[in-house]
Amino acid sequence: MIRLFFLVGLWLFSTNTLLAKATTEDGGTIQGKIITADGNPAANVTVVLKEITKGVTTNESGEFRFKNVPNGKYQLEVSLIGFETITKEVEIVNNKPVSVQIEITQSSQKLEEVVVTSGGNRFAKKESDDVSKLSLKNIENPQVYSVVGKELMKEQLITDYNAAFKNIPGAGIPIVYNQGRSTAISRGFTTANLVRNGVGGFIYTSIDPANLERIEVIKGPSATLFGSTLASFGGLFNRVTKKPFETFKGEVSYSGASWDLNRITLDVNTPLNQEKTALFRFNGAVHSERSFQDAGFSKNFLLAPSLSYKVNDKLTLLLDIEMSGYKATSPTRVTTYTKGVAKSVEELGMPYKLSFANNTIAYTSQQLNVFGQVKYKLSESWTSQTVFSRTRSSSDGYVVGLTILSDSTLRQAVTSQEYPYYGTNIQQNFKGDFYIGNMRNRVVIGADFYNLQSSRNDATINMPAINFKKPGAAYNNFTVEKVSPQFATATFVNYTRVRDNTYSAYVSDVINVTDQLLAMASLRVDYYQARGAYYPANDSTAGAFNQTALSPKFGLVYQVVKNQVSLFANYMNGFENLSGTDYNGNTFKPQQANQWEAGIKLDALNNKLNATLSYYDISVTNMLRDDPDHTNFSLQDGTQLSKGFEAEVIANPIPGLNVVAGYAYNESKYDKANKSIEGLRPASAGPDKMANLWISYRFVKGNAKGLGFAFGGNYGSESYQTNTQAFVFTIPSYTVLDASVFYDRSAFRIGLKVDNLTNEKYWSNRLAAQNPTRVTANLTYKF
């Protein structure tokens, strides 16, 4: 495969050279970049070459280009609705290219507001400094990623973090665990929410979306730049929080919905001094709702201040904090009966609106996340970025699990728990942008320390079996008064469960071999130190081990049409540290995932069409399977395969009309594993076919300006809750449709949304019944 990459690169280079020679020099090139007053790229700005009445629109990086312009002097006219037009004179001599940079007087935040109201491709803002840890445009990046921005979340009246994942191709229905933490699917692998602002932000509890600028979904094994502790073999989810900007702005919002949902959010931003070097932003939320089922509730608050300070032209400091608290009942978790008649959740026949829970049996959680960043400009070519992230999340109280005992009975199991988790991530990056000869190099060199520690203090008691089809009076016996006395004689487990350190170093270089051909080469070395679980009762430690792993990454991008159409291919690696030894005492190696992927990216028609289509093939090796010759031992020769096709299209075909569409097909199987699962699709891989759609139209002119309508939905094929040679339990396919209407003006926004229009019954992988038809109303005042 390395030889193939070399041959493809050589062919692309040769083709590019021949094309360059074959092109006649009919004129010069005028290219440039438009930036805002706060130094960010200005997208969707119109640039006109007045003398020849030719116009273009800047891309997401604020860049524009005019080709084959005859020699002479010209006036560049930069304009955007609501802003004063800027004119700049340029001259082409002897067909030589001209580069310019123009600054508009407004901030990026103000510019974004104008793009929204003027009908641009407002959901296609994919440029990111976190995905590659470099300032790399999406069309230059050989990796696939999706972005769910705050504008799309606002339009869909997202009040729950997990609801935003309906916009991500292949994510499926998120799984919500006992304490409110959640995972989704990425390329057939369960993927947790462990990354915040590009570094470790471990959250063991629920996440409130009020402080989210965007969610970045990075596809494929991503250990090279993020490490094995943060990324699954399918990718990772990066939560990007809202940051301060240079103008005063704010909004207060109220949402009310079915099942007594009441939610208030506040977002206020202000400069703290006249020079606008000190900036402050505060986001907050208060939220409460109950379940559509007979029992179940959630109450929470969020406080999220952030402060940035520009010490001078070289040094900038940022401090970002999130604090939240929850009180809630635990989500539904059902363990199936493997010897029963029922082979699907529909056949099981559990009443859809019964929770088999009680509001007195609840838990509380707290979360604190502190993020600090120091940026220092070392020179024109090099920048230093130092990041510190500290997290604490805890969950205390009762959680409930349901175990099916027969085709008509279940048992409620209650766990009394105390789970505090502590995470620390310190990261140092040096980023360079320089030329070696005619080749541009964009480089990141980094070192990373990550520590995760947690404790455990819990016990579980089992309640008497009840008939879940006709529970009768026994249904009312499940209360905290009946449950809590049983823990007086229960056996509690008390130990420090996780004490892990990871020390890493990495380097990544993106080289412009030519103006249109880019190559990426990256490598990470990772030293993992598991100090084992400490049992204070015995003053003993078990499970300690150390491992070292290398994770390479390579990519090629050829821009068939500069900044508009690119072909890409990548090789990516991920790994997972494994403890233990085989029968002969050999220490297990890290489990490895290797991905090969190729596809096409579009950012065409003046940013009206943004699309990514790709095919990937992931092979996982060094998996453990039972040793058939030695009981209680494992062999490390297991393999798992995951391959498929993904497509995402974000379009703005006419002013005011925006479309977000995605499709994912995934084929996963245990290729070499225990006989009970060999050749089968993992139940955790979710549906093999999934699709998402959101179509939105907003009037951009006339008396109805700001009025909009939207319609969308999600589809998932049949999937498995359990899939073994001995027992198969399926979850049916689903099609869920949503619609909304909104009116968005400069001073206020009104929205109304109906989720699950057809009242579809559908379930998560844990057999948690999902919401039936729900109506949400929102009123937002802007100032």
Side-chain angles (χ1 to χ4, degrees):
M1 295 302 291
I2 294 176
R3 181 181 297 177
L4 176 62
F5 258 77
F6 176 75
L7 292 174
V8 170
L10 183 62
W11 175 76
L12 290 174
F13 178 76
S14 302
T15 303
N16 181 74
T17 304
L18 291 173
L19 287 172
K21 290 182 178 179
T23 304
T24 58
E25 292 188 346
D26 295 329
T29 299
I30 301 175
Q31 60 188 14
K33 184 173 185 177
I34 312 296
I35 62 173
T36 60
D38 48 359
N40 292 305
N44 300 299
V45 175
T46 301
V47 185
V48 176
L49 209 54
K50 292 182 64 177
E51 284 72 11
I52 57 176
T53 62
K54 189 175 182 180
V56 296
T57 303
T58 58
N59 62 19
E60 286 296 312
S61 296
E63 298 171 335
F64 66 90
R65 173 180 292 198
F66 295 96
K67 293 182 178 180
N68 300 323
V69 180
N71 293 325
K73 293 184 177 180
Y74 298 91
Q75 296 290 323
L76 278 176
E77 191 173 83
V78 179
S79 62
L80 185 67
I81 297 173
F83 294 137
E84 182 180 349
T85 299
I86 299 173
T87 302
K88 186 176 183 68
E89 183 178 285
V90 296
E91 182 178 7
I92 292 182
V93 179
N94 298 328
N95 293 334
K96 291 183 178 180
V98 176
S99 295
V100 296
Q101 179 168 296
I102 301 173
E103 179 179 315
I104 61 176
T105 58
Q106 298 292 339
S107 69
S108 55
Q109 185 75 17
K110 184 66 177 177
L111 182 63
E112 181 178 312
E113 296 171 24
V114 174
V115 171
V116 170
T117 57
S118 63
N121 197 0
R122 51 200 173 89
F123 301 145
K125 301 168 184 175
K126 298 191 73 169
E127 309 314 317
S128 166
D129 289 338
D130 291 331
V131 173
S132 61
K133 297 192 182 293
L134 290 168
S135 295
L136 206 61
K137 293 181 291 187
N138 175 48
I139 207 160
E140 296 178 310
N141 197 329
Q143 187 167 7
V144 174
Y145 63 96
S146 300
V147 172
V148 181
K150 64 180 180 182
E151 286 302 327
L152 182 55
M153 288 188 275
K154 282 182 179 180
E155 185 166 294
Q156 294 181 348
L157 301 187
I158 297 295
T159 60
D160 168 45
Y161 174 73
N162 297 312
F165 283 76
K166 66 174 61 179
N167 301 293
I168 299 167
I173 302 170
I175 300 172
V176 185
Y177 293 89
N178 295 348
Q179 297 80 12
R181 64 188 176 95
S182 62
T183 64
I185 300 167
S186 184
R187 297 193 167 177
F189 297 92
T190 300
T191 304
N193 290 282
L194 303 178
V195 186
R196 181 176 180 269
N197 293 327
V199 295
F202 186 93
I203 297 299
Y204 198 67
T205 59
S206 301
I207 297 170
D208 192 290
N211 193 36
L212 285 179
E213 183 72 26
R214 52 203 261 148
I215 302 172
E216 298 176 343
V217 183
I218 306 173
K219 299 296 186 74
S222 301
T224 307
L225 292 179
F226 293 92
S228 64
T229 51
L230 301 180
S232 79
F233 292 152
L236 63 92
F237 307 132
N238 179 35
R239 309 186 309 275
V240 181
T241 60
K242 297 176 181 177
K243 306 295 191 302
F245 51 92
E246 292 187 350
T247 56
F248 176 79
K249 178 178 167 40
E251 64 178 43
V252 59
S253 180
Y254 169 77
S255 295
S258 308
W259 316 306
D260 296 325
L261 183 145
N262 288 283
R263 177 177 175 84
I264 298 175
T265 62
L266 176 67
D267 182 356
V268 179
N269 183 88
T270 183
L272 297 179
N273 59 7
Q274 191 172 12
E275 297 78 14
K276 297 184 178 181
T277 56
L279 310 173
F280 177 76
R281 189 170 187 176
F282 176 83
N283 279 270
V286 178
H287 180 114
S288 67
E289 65 176 303
R290 62 179 177 86
S291 170
F292 73 90
Q293 295 180 321
D294 63 296
F297 73 92
S298 176
K299 302 176 183 178
N300 75 278
F301 70 88
L302 170 72
L303 304 174
S306 57
L307 174 69
S308 70
Y309 180 57
K310 186 176 182 181
V311 180
N312 51 48
D313 290 339
K314 292 185 176 182
L315 179 61
T316 304
L317 309 176
L318 173 67
L319 179 64
D320 179 301
I321 299 172
E322 282 185 339
M323 298 171 284
S324 66
Y326 281 79
K327 183 175 183 180
T329 52
S330 62
T332 301
R333 169 172 52 106
V334 180
T335 302
T336 54
Y337 177 55
T338 60
K339 298 180 181 180
V341 174
K343 297 298 188 295
S344 73
V345 66
E346 292 175 307
E347 292 179 11
L348 186 62
M350 286 185 66
Y352 201 76
K353 290 190 176 182
L354 290 188
S355 65
F356 297 91
N358 187 278
N359 286 344
T360 63
I361 301 175
Y363 71 92
T364 59
S365 66
Q366 291 183 337
Q367 177 254 328
L368 173 65
N369 198 319
V370 180
F371 174 87
Q373 177 180 265
V374 179
K375 278 189 176 182
Y376 187 77
K377 188 175 182 181
L378 299 169
S379 67
E380 290 301 317
S381 301
W382 287 93
T383 302
S384 169
Q385 179 196 49
T386 307
V387 175
F388 171 82
S389 176
R390 174 70 171 170
T391 64
R392 181 192 184 276
S393 59
S394 64
S395 177
D396 306 300
Y398 298 115
V399 296
V400 179
L402 306 177
T403 301
I404 307 299
L405 300 177
S406 73
D407 288 321
S408 60
T409 60
L410 64 75
R411 181 178 63 205
Q412 298 145 318
V414 184
T415 300
S416 175
Q417 60 174 25
E418 180 196 16
Y419 285 168
Y421 274 78
Y422 303 88
T424 302
N425 199 173
I426 302 173
Q427 191 173 105
Q428 174 61 52
N429 294 309
F430 295 100
K431 300 182 181 183
D433 190 343
F434 55 89
Y435 284 81
I436 298 177
N438 293 324
M439 293 191 296
R440 182 185 182 187
N441 287 256
R442 277 167 285 184
V443 178
V444 58
I445 303 170
D448 186 275
F449 168 74
Y450 184 71
N451 169 267
L452 179 63
Q453 182 167 313
S454 70
S455 299
R456 175 178 175 177
N457 184 11
D458 66 8
T460 300
I461 59 99
N462 293 312
M463 301 298 291
I466 62 172
N467 188 314
F468 62 77
K469 294 186 176 181
K470 296 180 180 179
Y475 192 79
N476 300 319
N477 291 331
F478 190 59
T479 65
V480 71
E481 289 80 12
K482 298 288 181 65
V483 168
S484 60
Q486 298 187 45
F487 285 100
T489 57
T491 300
F492 277 77
V493 176
N494 184 2
Y495 65 89
T496 301
R497 185 168 60 175
V498 177
R499 298 187 300 165
D500 298 344
N501 292 325
T502 304
Y503 305 86
S504 308
Y506 49 87
V507 60
S508 181
D509 188 6
V510 177
I511 304 172
N512 282 77
V513 182
T514 71
D515 192 41
Q516 292 171 265
L517 176 63
L518 294 87
M520 172 187 281
S522 313
L523 180 66
R524 182 188 193 93
V525 58
D526 184 288
Y527 175 69
Y528 178 74
Q529 181 186 58
R531 293 184 292 166
Y534 174 67
Y535 296 85
N538 302 320
D539 192 22
S540 63
T541 300
F545 70 98
N546 302 326
Q547 281 183 344
T548 301
L550 292 174
S551 178
K553 175 181 176 182
F554 302 100
L556 285 174
V557 174
Y558 180 69
Q559 298 190 48
V560 181
V561 180
K562 179 71 174 177
N563 292 325
Q564 295 188 61
V565 182
S566 69
L567 303 175
F568 70 92
N570 67 56
Y571 163 77
M572 295 172 57
N573 174 269
F575 58 92
E576 180 181 337
N577 296 288
L578 298 177
S579 62
T581 62
D582 62 17
Y583 178 76
N584 296 315
N586 298 312
T587 303
F588 291 131
K589 301 175 183 177
Q591 192 173 312
Q592 296 281 346
N594 298 289
Q595 171 184 280
W596 296 96
E597 181 176 21
I600 183 172
K601 291 186 178 183
L602 303 176
D603 191 358
L605 305 176
N606 292 330
N607 196 42
K608 293 184 180 297
L609 175 61
N610 185 290
T612 302
L613 294 85
S614 71
Y615 172 83
Y616 62 88
D617 189 315
I618 303 173
S619 175
V620 183
T621 60
N622 291 344
M623 294 183 63
L624 301 183
R625 66 183 182 93
D626 293 341
D627 187 338
D629 300 321
H630 305 98
T631 305
N632 298 326
F633 285 92
S634 298
L635 297 175
Q636 194 176 25
D637 59 358
T639 57
Q640 180 181 340
L641 303 178
S642 179
K643 57 184 178 180
F645 170 78
E646 288 180 341
E648 181 181 56
V649 177
I650 306 174
N652 173 220
I654 61 174
L657 178 62
N658 289 269
V659 179
V660 178
Y663 175 78
Y665 170 74
N666 173 264
E667 179 183 339
S668 289
K669 69 174 182 178
Y670 292 111
D671 188 50
K672 188 175 183 181
N674 293 336
K675 295 302 180 183
S676 62
I677 58 174
E678 189 168 272
L680 301 180
R681 180 178 180 84
S684 58
D688 62 348
K689 293 179 285 292
M690 286 181 273
N692 61 280
L693 176 68
W694 186 254
I695 302 173
S696 169
Y697 180 75
R698 177 197 305 244
F699 291 97
V700 296
K701 295 180 181 179
N703 294 331
K705 181 179 178 180
L707 178 65
F709 307 88
F711 175 81
N714 291 81
Y715 165 79
S717 60
E718 183 182 69
S719 59
Y720 301 102
Q721 194 270 345
T722 305
N723 189 25
T724 68
Q725 299 290 354
F727 181 72
V728 175
F729 194 91
T730 62
I731 303 171
S733 63
Y734 61 89
T735 301
V736 180
L737 303 177
D738 309 324
S740 73
V741 58
F742 52 89
Y743 186 46
D744 198 348
R745 302 293 292 180
S746 59
F748 66 90
R749 188 182 193 280
I750 302 173
L752 181 69
K753 183 164 183 243
V754 181
D755 289 291
N756 197 356
L757 284 164
T758 60
N759 208 31
E760 178 92 340
K761 289 185 177 180
Y762 63 116
W763 295 262
S764 73
N765 183 264
R766 280 195 158 195
L767 304 187
Q770 304 298 295
N771 286 338
T773 301
R774 182 173 201 172
V775 179
T776 304
N778 172 266
L779 174 61
T780 300
Y781 172 67
K782 309 173 187 178
F783 54 88

